[in-house]
Amino acid sequence: MGLNIEENQKLIDDILEAYPKKARKDREKHFQVASEKAIDCGTCAVKSNIKSRPGVMTPRGCAYAGSKGVVWGPIKDMVHISHGPVGCGQYSWGSRRNFANGTLGIDNFTAMQITSDFQETDIVFGGDKKLAVIMREITEMFPLAKGISVQSECPVGLIGDDIEAVSKKMSKELDMPIVPVRCEGFRGVSQSLGHHIANDAIRDFVMGRAELAETGPYDVNIIGDYNIGGDAWASRILLEEMGLRVIAQWSGDGSLNELEVAHKAKLNLIHCHRSMNYMVDHMEKAYGIPWLEYNFFGPTKTYESLRAIAALFDATIQENCEQMIAKYKPVMDAVINKYRPRLENKTVMLMIGGLRSRHTIGAYEDLGMDIVASGYEFAHKDDYEKMLPMLEEGTIVMDDPTAYELEELTKRMNIDLVGSGVKEKYVYHKMGVPFRQMHSWDYSGPYHGFDGFKVFAKDMDMTVNSPVWELVSRKSKIQAEEASI
Amino acid sequence: MSKDELNIKDNTSLFKEERYVQQRENKKQFEAPCSEQETAEALAYSKSAEYMEKNFNRQNVVINPHKACQPLGSVMAALGFEKTLPFVHGSQGCNAYFRSHLSRHFKEPTPSVSTSMTEDAAVFGGMNNLIDGLENSVALYKPEMVAICTTCMAEVIGDDLNSFIGNARIKGVISEEYPVAYCNTPSFVGSHITGYDAMIKGIISYLYTRSGIESKPGSGAESGEKLNVLLGFEPYTGNFAEMRKILGAFDTQYTLLGDHSGNYDSPATGEYEYYYGGTKLEDVPQAANALGTLSLQKYTLKKTQEYISGTWNQQITALSTPLGIKGTDKLLEAVSELTGLPVPASLSEERGRVVDALMDSHPYLHGKRVALVGDPDLLIGLIGFCLETGMEPVHIICSNGDVDYNEVKFKDEAEALLASSPYGSEAAVHVGKDLWHMRSLLLNDSVDLAIGSSHLKFAAKDAEVPLVRIGFPIFDRHHMHRYPIIGYQGTLNLLSLIVNTILQQLDDNNSGFNFELVR
């Protein structure tokens, strides 16, 4: 592939020249070029999980987005109050595609926006009384709701409303779990703290509150799958086919009862380690439940993961696992045979949220594609430590890259496909660079598991090889410039 | 192997497969779901009159409101000015949401930065964030002006933008001359339209004041007298083009105050530019000398209009969104009156063609009961359009309708308009209500057609009413914003959307014998 460590380091240095001194010094710490040394020792110098610079176009969101948008919002049979002004709930309404079975507004409240719609008087006098009334009204409007969560927006923390006291009182009155979540947007530096806060609230208010009728040796949980485009379903079907019993799915298509019985599992299987590692750590300590991070993107990683999971069980499961792999491998090979020739050696730049910048690498490689740059919006040190060994030497690793940096990298590297979010998507359309929205699968999916890889492969081919890019001169211009250097 | 041989199914069909149906059933044992009977009863109850009464009696919980918050409108307003960077002072998550929300509607990038305030800024204030933010954003994105709005966080802690910007100048981060406009946009007051207004007023008053020009209405620019035109919080880039066409036909000079159409309708050329036009900054102070101002969203632009008629001492004609024939007639009369120019023949001809089209289609529209949702000015336009075609507005919901202009409340104007026609006799205007109220209305008093944004699709589906997507946001249909809905051409577009939805419904609901070739 010929990625040059020094060349790429120079490229980064050149790009960062545009920043004022203070910001440049900060941004330098957020880049690293994968070298043998860094890969071997598994350490990572990339600074992460620290504040974004003001005035740059960071891709990051806030703690509320991490809690309501990611962790709590998909719990389908609870009502999640966006507590504060109208905007946060409005913007996070239905945009993350957390598929869930059930009837919307009756026993499923995922794609709804339920808010206290703070007005000036609420800011001045506090929203406590109003919050109690809202909870009563929710039980009137949604008699089948199993519980309520209060997702705090910025002003709630600033004016000092005691949502904990209201929740406690109303939980008794209404005889259902009511969970206060202190996920005000100004807390922390990104969505990431919101995930942690949301996890702590699950731990403190719902975990261990219910029992299973019967437990079994094969009981497992799916942790950290948000069922974007049905991902969790495409994953669950493999685990069940292998003979495991999935007793809880967190949190895509999840229910309150699944949160409450998950402590009865024998093993936690975690997909998005970034957003729910707090949970599996806690369950390991409190209930002795071991956990395993797995990756169901692309057949190679899926086989590896399935075998690693099976290895923790008995011979029956292991045999089932091998049979299952034998069954699906020909289909996966056929998918690869069809699409790999069209995608071989195409270069990919990824900038996604928590796990996908790392977990999807294997799926691209199955299709013969090369990752030349990969970065996270809100990862921590451990994410980079896990990602580095997966990369070729010379690959650019970037943390919280700004819009400016991504655009410059795209202009100066020979990028065939960019995978990122909706804020970035249309910029690349202007630039004539193939783009796939990898937060919500660009309204396609699922991408997990064997069923998902078929869709992934088809979508990547469709994107990279669409004739529409030929209509823009930029792509050929970038390549011509590259060739002439 | 072809796609079919590989049997690639995505989420539209995959989960209908029997193995996934079984999975769904199996999962229920861990969900502790309500019984099918309970769910069916709750569903039936939610559709009942008893439920509707309770629904309308709730005081505090808001369910599926049809409004966004102030700074979203401010970001859109800032993008209406040339080389202007929207700058959001507060928590960065808000800015991420504004950018996503606007991009999902327009399918276009939304450049905007934030000061990324966190806990320490909550305690000590966001001044350092603002100063650093100005330095970084000006260096990176090279705007010719920065336009700052606040979020609820900055408002609650009481950050003083004026002094912060002053301190940024003292520190030399930006020069004394560098233009930085700002406005306060607390998210707990008003809605996106309030924020739009605040930023337009913020920018034009700032650029005017710093120019030192003294307003002399009617003295115009060197090239002659000009008209100021404001479209407002405008989710249709096509409406800007239509307005240009109309003003061009009049052959009048004009300045659009706030034109974000370039930013939201930019070409794919291989280069991303960041700034695609907008009102020229130098034109803004000159606008104070215009002979008058035409505003197309009077409820939205309340403060801006007050400023222009007050400080600039200009004649203002403030209309609501000019939809339909009569709405467009009013627009042309207003232009004619402000400029003294006659209505051009080309527009009269166009009017005739569209009236002809309305005549062709009226049998399919007449007596159709319609539900409407939208922002106040859009709703006034839509009500007018319905009434002149013989459609009967029945349920009208305006979540952000608690607004007035010249002491006339939106609700009163809407009701007076409805009372002016027999086709409006069944209508009720609900201000401050949400789409969960609309669901009850649709289920208890059925209509033939719903008109509103994508957010209305849930209630429309529950009530099995076809939805025509008009307004903001439209997330689930492509390119709707490129087609104007104002003016005569816009009226034709509205008509086509509506009548063809009704014709599709006729085909969908055919009884076998009336699946007809000619309609």
Side-chain angles (χ1 to χ4, degrees):
Chain A
M1 194 160 56
L3 284 176
N4 187 310
I5 297 172
E6 277 168 29
E7 244 175 49
N8 277 354
Q9 186 58 54
K10 187 170 179 307
L11 186 70
I12 293 165
D13 294 343
D14 281 353
I15 290 172
L16 297 182
E17 275 297 308
Y19 283 93
K21 203 174 158 196
K22 194 165 137 195
R24 182 169 68 229
K25 214 173 148 193
D26 175 84
R27 289 303 307 153
E28 278 167 359
K29 299 175 192 160
H30 294 267
F31 279 93
Q32 184 169 12
V33 180
S35 65
E36 195 184 352
K37 194 178 150 209
I39 293 169
D40 273 359
C41 69
T43 59
C44 183
V46 181
K47 276 278 181 205
S48 60
N49 199 34
I50 55 175
K51 281 187 222 172
S52 304
R53 293 293 91 208
V56 306
M57 248 172 262
T58 167
R60 284 174 169 179
C62 64
Y64 166 89
S67 178
K68 192 267 184 179
V70 176
V71 176
W72 277 101
I75 303 293
K76 63 184 175 183
D77 55 0
M78 291 174 73
V79 167
H80 310 290
I81 304 171
S82 291
H83 189 43
V86 70
C88 316
Q90 203 72 6
Y91 308 130
S92 56
W93 179 4
S95 56
R96 239 179 87 88
R97 307 184 69 230
N98 309 109
F99 287 0
N101 288 309
T103 309
L104 196 65
I106 304 301
D107 61 351
N108 164 17
F109 309 100
T110 49
M112 297 189 73
Q113 136 71 329
I114 291 151
T115 177
S116 40
D117 189 14
F118 263 34
Q119 301 299 304
E120 208 157 12
T121 48
D122 301 313
I123 300 291
V124 176
F125 299 110
D128 286 357
K129 279 189 188 144
K130 184 177 182 173
L131 183 58
V133 179
I134 284 172
M135 289 169 178
R136 285 189 201 107
E137 288 176 347
I138 282 172
T139 58
E140 293 254 301
M141 287 292 98
F142 307 115
L144 299 189
K146 297 283 181 63
I148 294 171
S149 80
V150 183
Q151 307 286 323
S152 303
E153 300 170 12
C154 286
V156 173
L158 297 170
I159 63 176
D161 269 9
D162 193 349
I163 60 165
E164 288 81 3
V166 178
S167 299
K168 196 172 171 186
K169 177 175 159 265
M170 294 309 293
S171 181
K172 270 192 199 136
E173 183 187 313
L174 301 172
D175 192 24
M176 60 163 59
I178 299 185
V179 185
V181 192
R182 283 280 176 197
C183 56
E184 288 88 346
F186 60 81
R187 292 188 198 276
V189 301
S190 68
Q191 291 94 316
S192 188
L193 188 65
H195 305 142
H196 196 160
I197 292 166
N199 284 192
D200 286 353
I202 293 174
R203 178 195 67 200
D204 295 344
F205 290 90
V206 294
M207 186 171 279
R209 301 284 168 111
E211 295 296 323
L212 272 177
E214 49 171 326
T215 60
Y218 303 130
D219 291 353
V220 300
N221 298 322
I222 288 179
I223 306 283
D225 191 322
Y226 302 100
N227 208 29
I228 311 291
D231 279 342
W233 296 332
S235 298
R236 185 186 183 105
I237 211 154
L238 298 181
L239 299 174
E240 289 181 341
E241 190 173 340
M242 196 156 76
L244 302 177
R245 195 170 83 136
V246 181
I247 65 166
Q249 201 173 299
W250 288 17
S251 57
D253 194 34
S255 57
L256 177 65
N257 198 63
E258 286 166 87
L259 295 179
E260 291 177 332
V261 300
H263 67 294
K264 303 304 282 184
K266 299 293 185 293
L267 175 68
N268 269 328
L269 294 170
I270 182 162
H271 208 246
C272 181
H273 184 266
R274 177 68 279 126
S275 58
M276 282 203 178
N277 68 84
Y278 320 98
M279 223 63 261
V280 292
D281 281 343
H282 171 72
M283 288 163 90
E284 186 171 39
K285 283 188 196 116
Y287 303 100
I289 304 172
W291 57 270
L292 180 72
E293 186 180 2
Y294 69 108
N295 177 355
F296 275 1
F297 286 107
T300 303
K301 291 293 171 190
T302 308
Y303 304 149
E304 262 176 37
S305 291
L306 286 169
R307 286 184 172 123
I309 294 164
L312 298 174
F313 291 93
D314 58 22
T316 316
I317 298 291
Q318 286 161 22
E319 203 171 301
N320 289 349
C321 172
E322 289 307 321
Q323 277 176 12
M324 193 167 77
I325 289 173
K327 175 179 147 192
Y328 286 104
K329 194 165 181 305
V331 187
M332 291 298 100
D333 288 347
V335 173
I336 289 171
N337 288 340
K338 178 180 169 73
Y339 291 109
R340 190 168 174 128
R342 306 182 190 190
L343 295 168
E344 192 90 53
N345 299 327
K346 298 286 185 191
T347 56
V348 183
M349 178 167 85
L350 298 175
M351 203 295 294
I352 329 179
L355 91 152
R356 294 163 185 174
S357 301
R358 163 173 89 247
H359 267 21
T360 56
I361 292 172
Y364 285 108
E365 287 175 348
D366 281 336
L367 295 168
M369 303 173 83
D370 302 324
I371 309 296
V372 295
S374 188
Y376 297 104
E377 265 183 48
F378 48 77
H380 298 204
K381 191 166 185 277
D382 56 338
D383 296 295
Y384 291 99
E385 285 170 357
K386 287 179 195 167
M387 180 161 81
L388 262 167
M390 300 179 70
L391 300 172
E392 296 280 340
E393 266 192 54
T395 308
I396 292 176
V397 179
M398 51 200 179
D399 177 69
D400 184 23
T402 66
Y404 159 78
E405 290 159 8
L406 291 173
E407 287 149 30
E408 288 301 312
L409 280 170
T410 311
K411 276 189 221 164
R412 299 177 195 210
M413 296 178 88
N414 187 12
I415 305 281
D416 296 308
L417 175 67
V418 175
S420 194
V422 72
K423 299 191 295 295
E424 293 79 34
K425 173 171 174 158
Y426 301 105
V427 170
Y428 291 94
H429 286 188
K430 302 295 168 212
M431 292 167 75
V433 175
F435 183 94
R436 197 76 196 150
Q437 219 243 77
M438 295 296 282
H439 294 172
S440 64
W441 307 150
D442 246 334
Y443 317 104
S444 173
Y447 281 178
H448 287 183
F450 296 133
D451 288 329
F453 180 66
K454 292 184 190 175
V455 184
F456 177 88
K458 172 181 74 90
D459 284 359
M460 294 311 142
D461 171 49
M462 167 184 81
T463 306
V464 170
N465 293 312
S466 168
V468 298
W469 310 111
E470 305 290 328
L471 306 174
V472 180
S473 57
R474 181 68 195 173
K475 192 70 190 129
S476 51
K477 203 170 141 194
I478 293 173
Q479 280 163 353
E481 279 171 9
E482 188 69 22
S484 68
I485 288 169
Chain B
M1 211 183 253
S2 78
K3 233 181 256 182
D4 290 340
E5 285 170 86
L6 284 174
N7 192 24
I8 298 178
K9 290 183 177 172
D10 68 12
N11 60 74
T12 51
S13 56
L14 178 66
F15 301 120
K16 290 176 190 162
E17 288 188 358
E18 182 53 31
R19 56 200 176 111
Y20 279 104
V21 174
Q22 271 177 21
Q23 179 194 71
R24 192 149 60 231
E25 285 307 306
N26 182 47
K27 183 173 180 290
K28 282 184 184 162
Q29 63 179 306
F30 310 106
E31 294 177 345
C34 301
S35 70
E36 276 177 33
Q37 192 190 341
E38 270 180 305
T39 313
E41 281 171 12
L43 180 61
Y45 169 60
S46 80
K47 297 178 175 180
S48 67
E50 185 194 347
Y51 185 89
M52 179 158 92
E53 196 185 332
K54 271 192 182 172
N55 194 2
F56 273 81
N57 281 335
R58 66 183 147 95
Q59 297 296 311
N60 283 297
V61 70
V62 173
I63 306 166
N64 298 350
H66 199 272
K67 63 176 181 178
C69 68
Q70 281 210 53
L72 176 105
S74 300
V75 168
M76 184 194 265
L79 290 172
F81 293 84
E82 194 183 34
K83 295 200 174 172
T84 298
L85 182 67
F87 186 111
V88 179
H89 183 49
S91 172
Q92 73 198 5
C94 308
N95 193 48
Y97 276 144
F98 308 147
R99 295 179 65 204
S100 308
H101 205 70
L102 290 165
S103 290
R104 286 185 177 118
H105 173 79
F106 289 108
K107 318 293 180 204
E108 295 283 326
T110 301
S112 174
V113 299
S114 101
T115 47
S116 294
M117 282 165 69
T118 56
E119 285 103 329
D120 55 343
V123 178
F124 302 111
M127 186 173 80
N128 292 336
N129 295 62
L130 191 124
I131 292 173
D132 287 351
L134 279 173
E135 185 181 22
N136 291 335
S137 60
V138 170
L140 274 190
Y141 302 111
K142 299 180 177 58
E144 286 180 8
M145 179 167 79
V146 171
I148 308 179
C149 62
T150 53
T151 67
C152 46
M153 177 190 185
E155 288 295 322
V156 171
I157 65 173
D159 272 5
D160 180 351
L161 291 183
N162 191 38
S163 78
F164 290 2
I165 296 164
N167 288 340
R169 296 191 199 281
I170 291 167
K171 281 193 85 176
V173 164
I174 44 169
S175 71
E176 283 298 324
E177 298 76 40
Y178 188 84
V180 180
Y182 72 89
C183 63
N184 292 88
T185 48
S187 305
F188 44 81
V189 175
S191 68
H192 54 285
I193 59 172
T194 326
Y196 181 88
D197 188 28
M199 184 55 95
I200 292 287
K201 187 200 159 195
I203 289 174
I204 66 171
S205 61
Y206 173 77
L207 290 176
Y208 170 72
T209 305
R210 77 197 288 275
S211 74
I213 288 175
E214 207 173 310
S215 157
K216 290 179 192 150
S219 65
E222 61 279 11
S223 52
E225 294 190 329
K226 277 194 175 186
L227 187 65
N228 296 323
V229 180
L230 293 122
L231 272 76
F233 183 95
E234 179 52 81
Y236 288 83
T237 55
N239 281 355
F240 286 93
E242 187 62 19
M243 202 55 210
R244 286 181 193 287
K245 188 190 89 183
I246 290 168
L247 295 166
F250 268 95
D251 199 19
T252 183
Q253 304 259 342
Y254 62 93
T255 307
L256 290 181
L257 290 174
D259 175 4
H260 50 265
S261 65
N263 264 292
Y264 284 125
D265 217 355
S266 61
T269 59
E271 304 272 359
Y272 175 54
E273 303 279 354
Y274 273 98
Y275 310 105
Y276 291 89
T279 307
K280 287 188 167 39
L281 303 189
E282 71 210 41
D283 286 351
V284 174
Q286 296 299 334
N289 295 331
L291 44 85
T293 292
L294 176 64
S295 162
L296 302 190
Q297 289 184 5
K298 66 180 178 193
Y299 292 108
T300 300
L301 291 160
K302 191 178 165 185
K303 281 183 194 159
T304 302
Q305 289 158 180
E306 281 166 10
Y307 172 80
I308 290 175
S309 63
T311 306
W312 289 359
N313 198 23
Q314 271 180 31
Q315 187 189 347
I316 282 224
T317 305
L319 308 171
S320 282
T321 313
L323 305 181
I325 297 294
K326 288 181 187 167
T328 307
D329 290 350
K330 264 192 214 162
L331 168 70
L332 302 191
E333 282 160 22
V335 177
S336 195
E337 197 186 305
L338 283 164
T339 60
L341 297 166
V343 173
S346 64
L347 293 180
S348 300
E349 268 176 44
E350 192 181 331
R351 182 186 196 279
R353 280 195 293 273
V354 179
V355 170
D356 187 71
L358 284 166
M359 287 168 175
D360 297 344
S361 302
H362 83 272
Y364 293 99
L365 307 184
H366 196 96
K368 286 281 184 280
R369 290 160 55 81
V370 181
L372 302 171
V373 171
D375 287 338
D377 288 300
L378 178 70
L379 282 174
I380 295 290
L382 282 172
I383 292 168
F385 174 77
C386 288
L387 295 179
E388 72 189 19
T389 57
M391 289 193 286
E392 298 178 17
V394 179
H395 312 304
I396 299 162
I397 280 196
C398 191
S399 295
N400 53 352
D402 52 345
V403 287
D404 64 284
Y405 174 63
N406 276 350
E407 291 176 9
V408 177
K409 286 181 181 154
F410 157 74
K411 188 169 191 269
D412 292 338
E413 186 194 355
E415 284 173 348
L417 178 58
L418 288 158
S420 71
S421 158
Y423 299 97
S425 62
E426 298 231 358
V429 182
H430 305 275
V431 161
K433 299 295 179 193
D434 53 46
L435 298 177
W436 199 249
H437 292 114
M438 180 57 103
R439 180 179 182 274
S440 278
L441 291 170
L442 294 177
L443 286 162
N444 280 275
D445 184 8
S446 181
V447 297
D448 299 298
L449 193 72
I451 298 179
S453 77
S454 295
H455 280 137
L456 186 53
K457 76 188 281 184
F458 303 105
K461 178 170 177 280
D462 285 353
E464 297 175 7
V465 177
L467 171 65
V468 174
R469 285 159 179 81
I470 302 286
F472 177 86
I474 297 175
F475 287 160
D476 59 341
R477 294 291 183 271
H478 281 200
H479 317 308
M480 304 291 284
H481 67 278
R482 296 177 198 270
Y483 298 92
I485 61 165
I486 64 169
Y488 298 130
Q489 178 61 42
T491 303
L492 188 61
N493 290 340
L494 265 185
L495 168 69
S496 306
L497 272 173
I498 291 171
V499 75
N500 289 324
T501 302
I502 291 168
L503 291 173
Q504 181 67 46
Q505 197 187 14
L506 267 178
D507 280 349
D508 291 345
N509 299 338
N510 81 87
S511 318
F513 48 81
N514 68 337
F515 189 66
E516 294 188 67
L517 180 65
V518 185
R519 302 268 191 207

